Amino acid sequence: ASGLDRLELARIGRASAAQRSGRAGREGPGIAYRLWPEREQAARPERERPEIQRVDLAGPALQLLAWGETDLAGFGWFEPPDPVALSRGLDLLAHLGAVVEGAGLSKLGRELAEIPIHPRLARLLIEGRRRGVGREAALVAALLGERDPFRRSAPTAAGGGRKTAVHVSRSDLLDRLDALEAFARSGGRQTASPAGELAAGAARFVLQAAEQLERSAPGSASPSKPADRDGALLAAIAAAYPDRIARRREPGSPRAVMVGGRGVRLGEESAVRNEELFACIDVDLGAGGALGEARIRIASGVELADLPRERLSEEIEVEFDAERERAVAHRRTRFDDLRLDEREVPPPPEAASRVLIEAAGRDLPRALALDEPEIAGFLARWRWLGRAMPELALPAVGEEEIRALLPDLARGRRSFADLRKAPLRELLSGALSYPQTQALAREAPERIEMPSGSLIRLEYPAEGDGPPVLAVRIQELFGLDQTPRVAAGRVAVLVHLLAPNYRPQQVTRDLGSFWANTYSVVKRELQGRYPKHAWPDDPKNAPPERRPRRRP
């Protein structure tokens, strides 16, 4: 919960009771009495878990390193610890600045090893002494390391009447420190405080422990007291909990995220309401365990300037914003993996192109103008002619081939909108040789000229061997007795004959047969509805019309 080891009063197991009676028996003849009933003896566990499985291993690891050991996993432990727990202990030492990668203990690490307490508290003492608040840091360390002297740890309401104000603080530990100092100044008479009710006996024990801790801190102290005592203490506390720094998700919200990505929530007993950054001093995992949102019972505010410079990083990260369909860049400041600040900046061109290529490769239809008539028609003509005239050996033009063009298309561009404006057709055409380009224009033309002079677009099927479709008004085909053909004359187009209102009236692949057999029926049906349009008796020899002419 606190990241510290505490000596707590607990009931021993049966094996420990037997061992203690044996120790008494070595003194001489007599009787050893258990001071609890037989029924309770039977209910006690056979033995306690070994200490090496219960305690944080940062302290033992620090001592072994101080003695010159380099391979702690290979050390001859009487009972080897859990490798994960040993790794966590070494990680904490690294966070505290006690070890240097590849070089063993740092100068600070050797100083920490001289203090016979948990490395976290030793770091608090050294930093407090350096900043001129050694006595106060010793009190805070004693509060953390000894039994909690506060009977209740919830923010209290101040004032009377109907409206009450909730106590707000920069640090729950500073509130406790103030209460302990007030208790000492009053000779043990002042026990009530916003931090909770002090138990006098436990409070006196903490004060005694603080005196011992203050004397044990090595190194030179700051020659003068700081102007901002609380700020110096906050910095010392942050130095002891660098692995527990958290950032509030939103201003005023109790929810935050901690180094390592763990979600946390400030409990109601914490008075730290406004600090954006804070150290999680006492953590309750709750029923959710390792996967749930942890509750913070005691927190302490942290200033950005007090975080170790060597663990801060700033970099520009470029990513694709799917909602805005563009590459965006953010300058992000992190403490380890905890994001402290984020600002959007213009993305570097090369990085923007890279993420744009990746995003477009995952969704080509959305990124490129493949559905626009010019591109869609060009690709349909290419693929259709490749099936109709395989001897032309036209290259494949599937998704993979289009994806291979993305580096050229994305150069200097940042968004899907930019990509859709890129010269995709020109780049696609670059895969065709000159003879193939000529054959595509000749054998699978984009448009066909009608007798009326109109250039009508052909619609080529995206798949299969079906013929392209020519949708044209009947009047524009007067004078044409043969169906237009493509693919070197191998394929007759499918003609959709349109009425003057551009609605399909007849479908044929044999225009001559239509004029001879079906035209008269269509003429009788449409002539009365569209009298301004020409309906000649001999359409194969009549002049075509793009629009109705004046009738005499």
Side-chain angles (χ1 to χ4, degrees):
S2 66
L4 295 168
D5 300 323
R6 285 199 182 107
L7 185 62
E8 295 185 350
L9 188 64
R11 298 186 183 276
I12 61 175
R14 296 198 300 273
S16 293
Q19 186 268 343
R20 278 162 174 73
S21 65
R23 179 180 297 172
R26 289 199 300 271
E27 298 296 319
I31 300 174
Y33 292 95
R34 289 196 305 265
L35 302 183
W36 54 87
E38 184 67 30
R39 63 179 181 277
E40 185 178 318
Q41 170 75 359
R44 293 195 176 200
E46 174 62 28
R47 56 180 53 85
E48 299 93 17
R49 288 173 58 209
E51 183 174 312
I52 199 167
Q53 295 179 16
R54 289 185 276 112
V55 301
D56 176 85
L57 295 177
L62 179 64
Q63 290 301 320
L64 286 173
L65 291 172
W67 294 340
E69 292 292 337
T70 55
D71 182 12
L72 301 194
F75 177 70
W77 301 88
F78 178 74
E79 185 172 336
D82 182 352
V84 175
L86 182 58
S87 176
R88 282 200 298 262
L90 290 170
D91 286 344
L92 175 56
L93 292 179
H95 274 86
L96 295 174
V99 294
V100 179
E101 187 174 357
L105 283 186
S106 65
K107 179 178 181 295
L108 174 60
R110 288 188 289 273
E111 292 179 352
L112 295 178
E114 294 177 13
I115 309 176
I117 56 173
H118 191 282
R120 202 186 284 279
L121 297 184
R123 183 73 180 90
L124 171 59
L125 289 176
I126 290 175
E127 189 67 22
R129 188 177 180 87
R130 186 179 71 82
R131 292 177 177 268
V133 287
R135 185 188 66 82
E136 293 87 348
L139 280 169
V140 173
L143 279 167
L144 292 171
E146 303 300 335
R147 184 166 65 90
D148 190 358
F150 291 89
R151 292 196 179 96
R152 176 175 53 84
S153 56
T156 59
R162 295 182 179 179
K163 293 185 178 180
T164 59
V166 175
H167 175 67
V168 177
S169 173
R170 296 172 70 187
S171 170
D172 297 318
L173 286 177
L174 294 188
D175 286 348
R176 291 169 172 243
L177 172 65
D178 291 342
L180 197 61
E181 290 181 326
F183 173 84
R185 288 193 301 269
S186 69
R189 293 185 300 275
Q190 184 174 331
T191 58
S193 75
E197 187 77 14
L198 271 170
R204 292 189 185 96
F205 191 83
V206 169
L207 291 170
Q208 293 171 6
E211 292 179 3
Q212 296 175 354
L213 289 175
E214 186 178 5
R215 290 194 298 268
S216 68
S220 57
S222 173
S224 60
K225 288 289 182 181
D228 182 6
R229 184 207 74 153
D230 287 357
L233 275 171
L234 291 180
I237 295 167
Y241 284 86
D243 57 324
R244 298 278 193 95
I245 304 299
R247 179 174 181 261
R248 208 177 293 268
R249 294 184 185 273
E250 296 176 359
S253 169
R255 302 180 67 235
V257 62
M258 193 167 64
V259 168
R262 179 65 186 260
V264 299
R265 177 186 291 270
L266 284 163
E268 293 183 359
E269 61 266 51
S270 173
V272 179
R273 307 281 172 146
N274 299 325
E275 305 298 307
E276 181 184 8
L277 295 175
F278 55 86
C280 304
I281 307 301
D282 198 321
V283 183
D284 180 8
L285 295 182
L291 300 178
E293 196 172 51
R295 184 168 65 93
I296 308 305
R297 291 183 288 236
I298 300 177
S300 182
V302 174
E303 295 294 331
L304 178 60
D306 294 330
L307 296 177
R309 297 291 98 187
E310 65 274 10
R311 303 194 79 91
L312 289 172
S313 63
E314 182 178 277
E315 57 185 339
I316 294 178
E317 298 178 357
V318 182
E319 55 203 13
F320 189 77
D321 186 327
E323 185 175 344
R324 295 158 63 187
E325 295 189 338
R326 63 185 301 110
V328 296
H330 294 90
R331 178 180 283 112
R332 292 180 173 130
T333 302
R334 287 186 172 90
F335 176 69
D336 287 348
D337 62 349
L338 179 65
R339 188 182 300 175
L340 301 180
D341 185 51
E342 175 178 292
R343 298 180 185 181
E344 186 168 340
V345 295
E350 289 186 6
S353 296
R354 173 176 49 77
V355 300
L356 188 59
I357 291 168
E358 294 172 356
R362 294 190 294 267
D363 194 349
L364 285 176
R366 184 179 173 190
L368 300 175
L370 299 177
D371 56 347
E372 291 188 2
E374 180 186 4
I375 301 299
F378 179 66
L379 291 172
R381 289 168 54 215
W382 182 336
R383 292 162 179 162
W384 181 86
L385 187 60
R387 297 189 294 269
M389 299 183 70
E391 69 272 17
L392 293 176
L394 297 180
V397 63
E399 281 197 357
E400 288 304 313
E401 289 74 25
I402 296 174
R403 196 173 280 113
L405 300 176
L406 287 174
D408 291 326
L409 291 169
R411 189 175 292 115
R413 293 178 169 84
R414 295 170 52 179
S415 67
F416 280 179
D418 294 339
L419 271 183
R420 285 189 282 267
K421 297 174 184 176
L424 176 58
R425 177 165 177 167
E426 288 78 356
L427 283 173
L428 287 168
S429 299
L432 298 172
S433 66
Y434 180 75
Q436 289 172 333
T437 301
Q438 295 297 104
L440 180 61
R442 183 179 63 252
E443 309 302 345
E446 186 175 356
R447 297 173 183 272
I448 292 183
E449 186 174 5
M450 297 292 98
S452 64
S454 296
L455 292 172
I456 304 298
R457 181 186 294 275
L458 285 172
E459 297 294 336
Y460 290 82
E463 298 177 354
D465 299 324
V469 173
L470 175 69
V472 59
R473 287 186 303 112
I474 296 173
Q475 282 75 18
E476 298 206 49
L477 291 173
F478 292 162
L480 183 66
D481 61 352
Q482 296 294 326
T483 305
R485 304 182 76 84
V486 292
R490 299 177 191 178
V491 180
V493 303
L494 183 64
V495 183
H496 286 203
L497 294 157
L498 308 179
N501 63 353
Y502 289 91
R503 291 184 178 177
Q505 196 67 30
Q506 193 74 27
V507 176
T508 182
R509 294 187 68 179
D510 186 347
L511 196 58
S513 174
F514 170 76
W515 295 137
N517 302 311
T518 313
Y519 170 72
S520 57
V521 177
V522 173
K523 174 182 176 180
R524 285 196 301 272
E525 181 181 341
L526 297 179
Q527 188 173 21
R529 290 160 52 192
Y530 301 101
K532 293 184 179 181
H533 292 262
W535 301 101
D537 293 332
D538 184 9
K540 289 194 294 184
N541 296 304
E545 288 186 352
R546 296 182 67 175
R547 56 182 59 86
R549 298 175 182 174
R550 287 179 176 269
R551 306 296 172 204

